[in-house]
Amino acid sequence: MITRGSSPPSGGSLRVSIEATKKHRILYVDAYDSFSNNITALLEKALEVDVVVVEIDENIEDLPAYLRGFDAVVVGPGPGNPKTKEDIGFVNKVWQLSDTDLVPILGICLGFQSLALAFGASVEQLRQPRHGIVSGILYNEVSIFKDLDDEVLVTQYHSLHVNLGHPIQVNEAVRYPGELWVRSANCPNLEPLAWDLNDTKNGAILMALRHTQKPFHGLQYHPESVCSSKNTIKVIRSWWEESKRWNLNRQKTTTHTLKAITDISENSLLKRARETWPPVSAQVRLSQREKSTKAEAPLSDIDSRCTQGVAQYLTVNKESLCVTDLCEALVLEQASEFVLLESAALRPQLGRYSIVGLITLSTLRIEYTTGDDYVRLYNLHDECHCTDVDLEGKGIWVFLAQFMDKTKTVGGDECSPFWGGFMGYFPYESALERFDANPDVGKATIRPSTGSNLSLAFIERSIVIDHEDDLVYIQTISPARDRVWLHETKDIVQRLGSQHPIDIPRAWKAGVPVTLDPLYEHLMEDCSSNRPATEREKEATIQVILELYLKSSLIQTPLEGAYREKIRKCQDFNRSGDSYELCLTDQSTILTPVDEDTDISWLLYKKLKKLNPAPFAAYLQLGRTTILSSSPERFLSWDREGNCQFRPIKGTVPKSPEMTKELATEILSSRKEQAENLMIVDLIRHDLHGVVGAGNVNVTKLMGVEEYATVFQLVSVIEGQIPGSSAWYNMKGLIDCCKGPRRRTPLKDPSHPDITGLDVLASSLPPGSMTGAPKRRSCALLQTIEENKPRGCYSGVLGYIDVGGGGDFSVVIRSAYRYKDEIINKPVSRYPNHDKDAKHYPHEVWHVGAGGAITALSDEEAEWKEMKAKMDSTLAAFKAQRVIYPELRGLMQEKRVMLREAVRNGRFPELEPLVEWMHG
């Protein structure tokens, strides 16, 4: 059982808990580390105790009285330095307890260093930090290291170390083996228990100690890491047995007093949502575009949707259906917005489904801007009027939980992962609010960027393509009768699958903007009128039109010198102990010509997909935002039974003719690459443990090498089970980092658990693979290093939340995005590099981000090349690369000549500068 404790009210006394426990109780002091939940889960499972968590900066006025409620204390790891008051909080006071108030204490990493510092040792920087390093240790078979039957492998996450002034540290040698365990003159009360002697650069590193007069022990390493051996758990059990014996000998009894404990369900999103629905402070606001007061408020639309419904669907065979053909035939000509989640690269256990979310005029849209206290609702039928719902301090996540709770749906096909629900994206900055909601003095503060929009559409009509079983699900959850649409869509899907002609205007033009119809038709004039144009002729024409636009694009990429300087700043923070790993990113911008009615984003998406096929490709057009994604990385998925999965990618080797998978595997097996991945695996285990509880998280794949179109990647898989049966329990808090104490207790109604996939999503953002560890401190440091430039859609997540209970999100990497209202006037000249006769044309701005994990072991040159390789895989879609379609080379050249002649004859005067540029 995990609870969250707090200090008594100022001047007051400790109150007896609502529900006294018969179990032993351990206090865990959390230093805002991203591995804390792994440690509390280990304590709970291995020791069968209750664990109360308190933050390290908690104001506890009467510490001795507070600690009488516990059988032992564990001071956990965290960023920073034990010599820094803001990093260590009240912990120094626990080492100063009087003999009558003593309690057994175990310090881990930062806690270990604080213990040693309090009793005469010094804490110094290592020559080479040990973040994510797994190593064997030499231990003395006494105290907590007694009766170990095998080697002890430990995971280290530290850049500082304890110096006892021991001979092995001062002279780098001992006179006899037993001298390793002799106390030093500087620290006569601290007995060494274990050393790491495997690091030639740093020399001997103290790994464990105990105080000879007080019940204090310390471990420099992390016993909770997935790569620490089972013997580290035995060490924890031995410490606990010693602690119980000490308490027994001292006849110490715990009073089990604590400020009122509340059930975690009080803090779950769904519980809080049910208490506050319906929203009571909604009001209709008019946009600046329309002053009319006559509008149908979308709020009433919410109420009509927020009823538990029944899904309707039809199933047809996939046959030879192409997903992009389906979008061009069914979506592009009927709606300005839609969402496509496409499995463009089928892989084992990945890439099974493609999902098309159809957005109609009545589709409810939800937008939230980071930092606002309201959420905006509207639809395309009447964009000028919207409803702003006051979040009343509950936050956007409670609102989403409200909505999904009220729209739960049954009756869909269980083999279809998505019946309907929210589709859209959460930008990187939207996730930083949960850190900023609980700022702590002296620690780096997160500053969420304003203007970062979360955008979702409540999809009622959808099409799911199952590439494994070759089935297509045509689905609706609309409260209106949709049978006509179901059957009309079924007919279209069957015709496309059987390659029969379809009678839909412009479907055959494959996403060419309407304004370019005359140009498209002119370039197709050489096709015989007695026969239909071939697919090759169509494709060649489309590629020449796309090339026309891309030839005049301007690509601005990060400067190597500036990026290298940011790498060095990251490594400075690595060495100082402020972060174990920082996921540094940067962005390129691409200016492409545009006018109000011309949109080539679909053509760009198809090109990106051809260049870089990926299992989590996506095309999203929502409001002002367009995202083109070729992401290889799943962030989080959960099914209707509550099984959830993370698939972080960390570790990259660019592909080349010389780079085989065997060679890539050898490179990715290096200590540096393995450490990067391990840190994120342990971080995600922490995020997941915080929701599903001890013993319910498993690493089913650890650092496997996977091959993609342009890179080899190091991938891990972490899985868990969301509470939902009588065997599952609620866990400590999820998103708000509340200071109030919390108790994990059995669910009252196992068939309707309060914990949902939304809790996992909310507590896990932003993706750990895009932040580093510890997450909170790393996010703050990255904001400074990246000069407070918002990442926007990049580094966020994109996917769906299903009304049937599931969800799936990918990380927005290997992607490009734009905002439609971000327009720059750029001069375009008839001749390149000559601005004298240039005319100014509007250009839209596309953003492409890339980055990599920076550790103390990172090499500047290698990190720069890795970032460039990732970025170039997406930028290639914006370059007029004729070699991408070698089979069309002759046809495309014919179309270029036709285009140039037509412009010279005055047929398309508005295109003259672009055509001259292309041929220049």
Side-chain angles (χ1 to χ4, degrees), residues 136-393:
I137 60 173
L138 181 65
Y139 57 89
N140 192 13
E141 297 182 28
V142 298
S143 184
I144 61 177
F145 286 89
K146 280 181 66 175
D147 303 324
L148 299 181
D149 52 11
D150 202 355
E151 179 184 24
V152 178
L153 289 175
V154 302
T155 303
Q156 301 174 45
Y157 288 114
H158 61 110
S159 58
L160 309 177
H161 77 111
V162 168
N163 189 340
L164 300 175
H166 194 279
I168 194 67
Q169 295 174 308
V170 175
N171 305 319
E172 298 187 353
V174 288
R175 293 170 295 173
Y176 53 93
E179 193 177 11
L180 282 171
W181 319 118
V182 173
R183 287 170 277 167
S184 68
N186 294 351
C187 308
N189 291 322
L190 297 181
E191 178 184 340
L193 295 178
W195 298 90
D196 182 347
L197 304 177
N198 301 304
D199 191 331
T200 56
K201 196 162 194 176
N202 288 306
I205 306 173
L206 184 65
M207 285 287 107
L209 58 76
R210 68 172 174 178
H211 195 285
T212 58
Q213 305 298 321
K214 301 176 185 289
F216 300 160
H217 292 77
L219 305 174
Q220 176 63 79
Y221 62 85
H222 283 243
E224 82 288 352
S225 172
V226 69
C227 283
S228 291
S229 65
K230 292 182 179 180
N231 265 328
T232 59
I233 300 176
K234 291 183 178 181
V235 172
I236 296 296
R237 289 193 178 114
S238 294
W239 164 77
W240 177 234
E241 291 302 319
E242 281 202 14
S243 299
K244 288 191 293 184
R245 282 195 296 271
W246 188 90
N247 286 335
L248 184 63
N249 292 336
R250 291 285 297 265
Q251 297 184 341
K252 180 183 183 300
T253 59
T254 56
T255 57
H256 282 188
T257 56
L258 185 66
K259 189 180 178 180
I261 299 171
T262 56
D263 192 309
I264 177 50
S265 62
E266 298 298 324
N267 295 304
S268 73
L269 295 175
L270 191 54
K271 179 71 174 179
R272 293 157 59 200
R274 288 170 176 165
E275 292 174 348
T276 56
W277 185 269
V280 295
S281 302
Q283 57 179 322
V284 179
R285 300 183 183 180
L286 298 180
S287 76
Q288 295 302 314
R289 293 173 293 170
E290 179 62 61
K291 298 299 183 182
S292 170
T293 59
K294 295 181 180 180
E296 179 185 353
L299 183 60
S300 61
D301 211 21
I302 302 178
D303 294 331
S304 68
R305 283 177 168 85
C306 286
T307 55
Q308 295 190 7
V310 178
Q312 303 173 66
Y313 67 95
L314 296 175
T315 306
V316 298
N317 291 326
K318 175 176 174 283
E319 299 186 41
S320 58
L321 177 69
C322 172
V323 176
T324 51
D325 287 349
L326 174 64
C327 293
E328 290 161 5
L330 193 62
V331 182
L332 289 178
E333 303 309 319
Q334 299 180 25
S336 60
E337 301 185 1
F338 77 102
V339 180
L340 167 64
L341 307 179
E342 183 178 13
S343 296
L346 305 184
R347 308 178 64 86
Q349 300 180 338
L350 289 179
R352 176 175 176 176
Y353 300 100
S354 293
I355 303 174
V356 182
L358 306 179
I359 298 177
T360 66
L361 292 178
S362 62
T363 298
L364 184 67
R365 294 288 316 285
I366 293 180
E367 288 198 350
Y368 170 73
T369 301
T370 305
D372 283 351
D373 58 359
Y374 65 91
V375 61
R376 176 156 293 176
L377 316 174
Y378 67 94
N379 58 41
L380 296 180
H381 177 71
D382 198 349
E383 288 185 83
C384 297
H385 295 82
C386 58
T387 300
D388 291 347
V389 178
D390 192 335
L391 296 175
E392 300 179 339

Side-chain angles (χ1 to χ4, degrees), residues 41 44 688-697 721 723 728-729 731 744:
E44 182 188 19
L688 195 48
H689 268 131
V691 180
V692 304
N696 305 323
V697 177
Q721 169 71 46
W728 295 95
Y729 296 83
M731 187 64 171
R744 200 187 75 173

Side-chain angles (χ1 to χ4, degrees), residues 71 83 118 129 268 285 403 407 496 582 636 692 719 745 855 873:
D71 299 283
K83 292 182 282 188
S268 73
R285 300 183 183 180
F403 201 100
T407 55
L496 287 170
L582 288 164
L636 164 67
V692 304
E719 296 181 345
T745 56
T855 70
S873 70

Side-chain angles (χ1 to χ4, degrees), residues 693-751:
N696 305 323
V697 177
N698 296 295
V699 178
T700 56
K701 181 176 184 177
L702 185 60
M703 294 182 258
V705 178
E706 294 183 358
E707 182 176 359
Y708 294 87
T710 58
V711 293
F712 294 97
Q713 307 260 216
L714 201 59
V715 182
S716 293
V717 178
I718 304 97
E719 296 181 345
Q721 169 71 46
I722 298 171
S725 68
S726 58
W728 295 95
Y729 296 83
N730 281 328
M731 187 64 171
K732 69 184 184 65
L734 304 172
I735 180 167
D736 288 304
C737 301
C738 300
K739 290 298 181 83
R742 293 177 279 200
R743 178 186 295 279
R744 200 187 75 173
T745 56
L747 292 166
K748 296 177 181 178
D749 184 0
S751 64

